[in-house]
Amino acid sequence: MADSMISAFESSLDKTNLILKDIENAYGWPKERRNQSYAALRTVLHLLRDRLPVDESVEFAQQLPVLVRGIYFDGWVPSDVPIKLNRDDFLYEVRQGFPYDAEGGPERVTQVVLDTLRRHVTQGEWQDVKDTMPKDLAKMMP
C-alpha cells in the first residue's frame, strides 16, 4: 500500500510539473522561473474557483492532479462563493495576485493558464465550467 501511495504522489507531482512546464513553454520561460508559473497557476485557479458555484467547483477540481487540487482548495471558503466577477474584474484580480511583470499582462497570464488547464480536463467538464461564466469572461476561455 505504501508503494501505491508513493506512486500516486509521484504521478501527481509529474502531472503538476507538466502543467507548470506548459505555462513556462507558452512564455518561453526557463525552469528557473518556476515561481512565476506557479504564481500564475495559483492566481488564476483561485479566481476560477471563487467564480464557480460550489458543486461545479468540486466537479472541476476532481479532474486536477492531487497536488494541483490542493493548491486549488487552499484557503477556499465555500460559503463565500460564487463571487461575481466579470472579465475586467477577473483581470484586475489576476494583476493583484500575480506580482510579476509578464508579456501581455494579466490578460495573457489568464489566457495561458486557462489554455493549459483546458488541456488537462475533459472537454465536457471544461464546457460546464465555461457555461457558468459571464459571457465576457467565457469568451476568454478556449
Side-chain angles (χ1 to χ4, degrees):
M1 181 157 152
D3 287 343
S4 66
M5 286 177 28
I6 290 171
S7 177
F9 179 78
E10 288 173 351
S11 174
S12 179
L13 184 59
D14 290 345
K15 290 175 184 176
T16 300
N17 280 323
L18 180 61
I19 290 170
L20 294 171
K21 188 175 180 180
D22 285 352
I23 294 168
E24 291 158 3
N25 287 340
Y27 272 105
W29 292 339
K31 186 178 179 181
E32 292 75 32
R33 293 179 76 177
R34 181 62 45 104
N35 285 343
Q36 288 183 22
S37 57
Y38 170 75
L41 177 64
R42 179 182 172 84
T43 299
V44 174
L45 272 177
H46 282 187
L47 289 166
L48 192 62
R49 171 202 73 192
D50 290 346
R51 181 61 187 87
L52 292 170
V54 172
D55 290 345
E56 186 56 44
S57 188
V58 171
E59 288 175 20
F60 173 70
Q62 289 173 337
Q63 294 199 8
L64 301 173
V66 172
L67 188 54
V68 175
R69 197 176 315 148
I71 296 165
Y72 182 79
F73 283 124
D74 184 43
W76 190 44
V77 182
S79 61
D80 291 348
V81 300
I83 296 172
K84 301 298 181 194
L85 296 170
N86 62 29
R87 179 185 178 278
D88 291 340
D89 297 334
F90 196 95
L91 294 175
Y92 174 81
E93 293 299 331
V94 168
R95 183 66 197 124
Q96 297 306 303
F98 183 73
Y100 302 96
D101 288 326
E103 181 182 329
E107 187 166 352
R108 175 91 169 114
V109 169
T110 301
Q111 193 66 58
V112 165
V113 173
L114 292 175
D115 288 346
T116 298
L117 290 171
R118 168 57 204 104
R119 290 191 301 273
H120 293 274
V121 300
T122 65
Q123 178 63 37
E125 184 55 43
W126 190 253
Q127 191 60 51
D128 289 348
V129 168
K130 195 172 176 178
D131 289 345
T132 68
M133 295 293 138
K135 289 180 181 168
D136 63 342
L137 189 51
K139 287 180 184 176
M140 291 184 65
M141 301 178 74

